[in-house]
Amino acid sequence: MKKNKKKKIIIFAVIGFTALIAILLNQPIRSVIALTTMKPLETREVLTDIYAVKNSFVNLYLVKTGDKYIAFDAGADEKATKAALDGLGIDANGVAAVFMTHTDGDHAAALPLFSSAEIYMAESNKTFIGENEGQSRSKVFINMGRDYKTMADGEKAFVGGAEIQCIFTPGHTDGSASYIRLLAKLN
């Protein structure tokens, strides 16, 4: 009788320990699965005047507006981003603005490359980068000390001949945003 009771306790302890390990590892396992299933576009012009830049396991996008470009995110690696832009014949100094979808390092690390660009982000992201979790995830962005402009949900900015609207899309981070190009200025 004592053997059965001891065996049950050991079984429950193993099950409990296994469940605890599974819970603790859940987020890293989900992250690894997400990273291995991502399929970023190769660097190229995907539509007339719209370019995808493959940067590690993410893409950043550029939209040509007249003689300037607007970037959506900055990329995970400054050197790789510069090489990709050079391959497309695009000068980083020709980027008038970078609209950040969020400030995780894989989207913000190449921001120094766009030194003459204005930086925009959703105002909800400003709160996110001030939180403890956000600070660790957005450390690269915070450490750059770059000035940036925040946009309210639905707010529009006129940059490089295009009107860009910010749409809050919390999910991946509470501060995530998407952007819509509303119109091009006619010359």
Side-chain angles (χ1 to χ4, degrees), residues 1-183:
M1 196 74 153
K2 277 188 171 184
K3 275 187 175 182
N4 281 342
K5 189 174 183 179
K6 192 174 182 180
K7 198 175 189 180
K8 284 181 183 179
I9 291 172
I10 290 172
I11 289 171
F12 283 117
V14 168
I15 290 171
F17 181 72
T18 303
L20 178 62
I21 295 298
I23 290 168
L24 292 174
L25 292 177
N26 181 39
Q27 189 59 38
I29 289 171
R30 286 179 43 196
S31 295
V32 168
I33 291 169
L35 290 176
T36 58
T37 58
M38 287 184 185
K39 302 210 181 328
L41 294 173
E42 293 301 320
T43 298
R44 64 185 172 87
E45 186 174 22
V46 292
L47 293 170
T48 302
D49 294 334
I50 300 175
Y51 302 84
V53 175
K54 183 178 178 182
N55 206 246
S56 184
F57 55 90
V58 296
N59 282 117
L60 67 112
Y61 294 88
L62 295 154
V63 176
K64 187 172 184 177
T65 60
D67 63 344
K68 295 286 185 182
Y69 293 87
I70 298 172
F72 296 90
D73 286 332
D77 179 279
E78 187 175 349
K79 199 173 179 181
T81 302
K82 178 162 181 10
L85 293 178
D86 288 348
L88 292 168
I90 297 172
D91 180 2
N93 291 320
V95 175
V98 179
F99 287 84
M100 302 299 301
T101 60
H102 62 294
T103 56
D104 283 356
D106 57 334
H107 294 260
L111 266 174
L113 180 62
F114 305 108
S115 59
S116 59
E118 290 187 282
I119 310 299
Y120 292 84
M121 74 171 85
E123 68 183 15
S124 59
N125 196 65
K126 187 175 179 183
T127 301
F128 174 73
I129 63 176
E131 298 170 357
N132 288 336
E133 179 186 343
Q135 286 179 349
S136 64
R137 292 181 65 184
S138 301
K139 189 174 184 176
V140 170
F141 179 82
I142 293 166
N143 289 340
M144 278 182 228
R146 289 284 301 267
D147 288 336
Y148 57 88
K149 296 178 180 183
T150 59
M151 298 178 72
D153 186 30
E155 185 176 349
K156 299 168 188 166
F158 193 75
V159 178
E163 191 172 18
I164 308 297
Q165 184 176 21
C166 177
I167 308 294
F168 288 4
T169 50
H172 175 60
T173 70
D174 290 341
S176 292
S178 299
Y179 300 93
I180 299 171
R181 180 179 177 188
L182 296 173
L183 66 111

